[in-house]
């Protein structure tokens, strides 16, 4: 029997640094070929376009969470990939920040075709050193992501004091004493610590979740969490957009778990990408718009108690004349 293809499930709460880690993996000179599956919560894909590395094949699963509505899609994509075995060395699945990793991991044991050809190598969880303590209070997914991890990257250590870091490490250890824990900035880590670990331990998981191998998925997403996507078929004016995005993240930061966008600015050959986690905002011009690519500007906000219509109108008010 030929060897099974290793699958790494990359998880972690909204904005923790999953795409940063994925891009690091894909750009490093590893000589391997990865197939990448990216799942997003919002209905318009942004992450897919933020993943670098033209070599890799990126499969996008939008509009739903990998652990719920689109799990069938995951099985279909995996089945399709298996038919082309030999064309790549490993598979990386980046889940949404709101995914419960258990049902995703379950897929590799419960689905016969998948389990015959692929093996779950490890669940790698990226944790945000600044926000994890808060999320452990109000987001059960954040806790499950830690509990199920084989490897944890405690990321964004540049944003916290030593004391805060030790505190959050204690919280992680209380939930999961077994995972290998690394402190990172910008997910800077040797790939050998993340890939091909052979770390997934079914026995440990059965201890946490005794019905792991039984069918039926009971994960209920927090219904209060909204995903608001707005897309405009053209350019936005940076002089209007920048003050608006700063203002909304300052004023509504506590409710904005995550925001991001790709924008076309007039006379700018490069795409402007902005990223936000609560009130922390980051933005920069990145790669060029491709020749013939439509210059569409799009933003996504994920959070609670957000006024979707106001966000839509305010964003559209920033478009270039
Ligand atoms: N200060 C700081 N910022 C970081 C670090 N790692 C990542 N970021 C920034 O955090 C933001 C979110 O990073 P992503 O990698 O997109 O996070 P993600 O987990 O993929 O986000 P979602 O897929 O939307 O859940 C980006 O603006 C990153 O540049 C870090 O170690 N320190």
């Amino acid at each position: 029997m030929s060897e099974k293809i290793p699958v790494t499930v990359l998880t972690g709460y909204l904005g923790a640094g999953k795409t940063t880690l994925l891009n690091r993996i894909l750009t490093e000179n590893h000589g391997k070929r990865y197939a990448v599956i990216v799942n997003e919560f919002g209905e318009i894909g942004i992450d897919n376009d933020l993943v670098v590395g033209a070599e890799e094949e990126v499969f996008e699963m939008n509009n739903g969470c990998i652990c719920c509505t689109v799990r069938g899609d995951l099985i279909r994509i995996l089945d399709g990939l298996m038919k082309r075995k030999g064309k790549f060395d490993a598979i990386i699945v980046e889940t949404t920040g709101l995914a419960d990793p258990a049902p995703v991991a379950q897929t590799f044991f419960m689905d016969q075709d998948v389990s015959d050809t692929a093996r779950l190598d490890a669940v790698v969880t990226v944790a945000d050193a600044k926000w994890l303590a808060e999320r452990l209070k109000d987001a059960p997914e954040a806790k499950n992501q830690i509990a199920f991890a084989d490897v944890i990257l405690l990321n964004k250590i540049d944003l916290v004091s030593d004391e805060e870091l030790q505190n959050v490490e204690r919280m992680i250890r209380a939930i999961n004493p077994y995972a290998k824990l690394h402190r990172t900035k910008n997910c800077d880590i040797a790939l050998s610590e993340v890939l091909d670990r052979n770390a997934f331990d079914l026995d440990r998981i059965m201890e946490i979740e005794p019905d792991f191998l039984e069918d039926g998925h009971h994960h209920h997403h927090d219904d209060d969490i909204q995903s608001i996507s707005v897309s405009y078929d053209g350019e936005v004016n940076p002089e209007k957009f920048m003050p608006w995005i700063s203002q909304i993240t300052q004023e509504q930061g506590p409710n904005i778990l995550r925001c991001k966008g790709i924008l076309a600015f007039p006379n700018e050959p490069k795409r402007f990408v902005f990223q936000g986690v609560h009130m922390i905002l980051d933005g920069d011009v990145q790669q060029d718009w491709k020749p013939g690519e439509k210059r569409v500007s799009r933003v996504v906000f994920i959070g609670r108690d957000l006024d979707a219509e106001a966000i839509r109108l305010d964003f559209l008010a920033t478009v270039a004349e």
Side-chain angles (χ1 to χ4, degrees):
M1 208 183 106
S2 61
E3 245 183 62
K4 294 187 182 183
I5 298 200
V7 182
T8 304
V9 172
L10 202 58
T11 183
Y13 205 68
L14 294 166
K18 298 176 291 296
T19 307
T20 306
L21 177 60
L22 184 59
N23 281 338
R24 191 173 279 282
I25 294 171
L26 298 182
T27 47
E28 206 135 302
N29 195 3
H30 42 57
K32 294 228 165 128
R33 292 155 309 164
Y34 295 107
V36 179
I37 303 173
V38 181
N39 172 222
E40 273 183 84
F41 189 64
E43 75 237 33
I44 59 172
I46 291 220
D47 265 15
N48 182 45
D49 283 335
L50 298 180
V51 175
V52 296
E55 297 293 296
E56 277 74 24
E57 291 189 67
V58 179
F59 299 86
E60 204 175 348
M61 299 167 56
N62 289 338
N63 208 9
C65 182
I66 197 165
C67 69
C68 304
T69 47
V70 293
R71 196 163 148 223
D73 288 358
L74 174 63
I75 294 173
R76 268 191 296 282
I77 293 176
L78 289 168
D79 281 342
L81 283 174
M82 291 314 155
K83 296 208 173 71
R84 300 188 297 128
K85 245 180 118 178
K87 293 250 177 356
F88 49 88
D89 303 295
I91 299 172
I92 303 173
V93 182
E94 180 188 344
T95 74
T96 73
L98 297 170
D100 179 347
V104 181
Q106 216 180 22
T107 308
F108 296 93
F109 296 90
M110 302 288 290
D111 186 88
Q112 194 63 44
D113 293 338
V114 172
S115 67
D116 283 349
T117 40
R119 71 171 171 84
L120 181 56
D121 183 69
V123 175
V124 176
T125 299
V126 185
D128 186 326
K130 182 154 180 74
W131 300 109
L132 182 72
E134 288 297 309
R135 294 294 78 78
L136 288 176
K137 291 183 205 154
D138 62 12
E141 297 88 359
K143 188 172 174 190
N144 282 355
Q145 291 163 355
I146 297 291
F148 267 78
D150 302 298
V151 179
I152 298 172
L153 269 59
L154 183 53
N155 190 40
K156 305 199 188 180
I157 56 171
D158 53 308
L159 298 182
V160 293
S161 67
D162 249 5
E163 200 185 333
E164 285 173 287
L165 199 56
Q166 282 167 21
N167 186 32
V168 70
E169 255 177 15
R170 267 195 297 277
M171 291 179 173
I172 290 174
R173 280 303 178 216
I175 299 168
N176 183 339
Y178 305 104
K180 190 101 195 275
L181 181 64
H182 303 273
R183 295 177 171 187
T184 60
K185 182 179 169 209
N186 294 320
C187 296
D188 190 2
I189 186 149
L191 293 195
S192 56
E193 295 291 349
V194 180
L195 299 176
D196 231 345
R197 300 292 307 165
N198 223 334
F200 188 79
D201 182 353
L202 190 59
D203 292 340
R204 184 175 77 76
I205 296 308
M206 296 293 284
E207 270 173 38
I208 310 176
E209 206 163 295
D211 55 1
F212 179 73
L213 292 181
E214 274 152 44
D215 219 352
H217 163 42
H218 309 295
H219 179 226
H220 293 293
H221 284 285
D222 182 346
D223 287 338
D224 296 344
I225 295 190
Q226 317 150 262
S227 169
I228 301 158
S229 308
V230 199
S231 180
Y232 173 67
D233 219 349
E235 296 167 336
V236 301
N237 180 346
E239 280 163 32
K240 293 183 186 165
F241 178 81
M242 296 301 195
W244 171 65
I245 194 73
S246 317
Q247 191 190 357
I248 187 169
T249 46
Q250 286 315 305
E251 288 177 1
Q252 300 185 46
N255 289 337
I256 300 175
L257 293 164
R258 189 77 174 99
C259 63
K260 52 192 160 182
I262 299 176
L263 307 169
F265 288 158
N267 306 316
E268 174 55 72
K270 294 185 185 302
R271 309 186 312 176
F272 182 86
V273 174
F274 81 93
Q275 303 253 15
V277 180
H278 295 292
M279 45 283 275
I280 297 173
L281 197 59
D282 204 8
D284 209 351
V285 284
Q286 296 194 357
Q287 77 248 45
D288 282 359
W289 291 93
K290 296 189 200 95
E293 186 181 9
K294 246 185 161 185
R295 290 168 64 96
V296 176
S297 298
R298 56 215 151 118
V299 294
V300 170
F301 288 79
I302 300 172
R304 292 191 186 92
D305 298 326
L306 298 173
D307 183 341
E309 192 52 16
I311 287 178
R312 204 180 71 78
L313 292 175
D314 289 349
F315 171 64
L316 293 176
T318 71
V319 304
E321 322 272 273

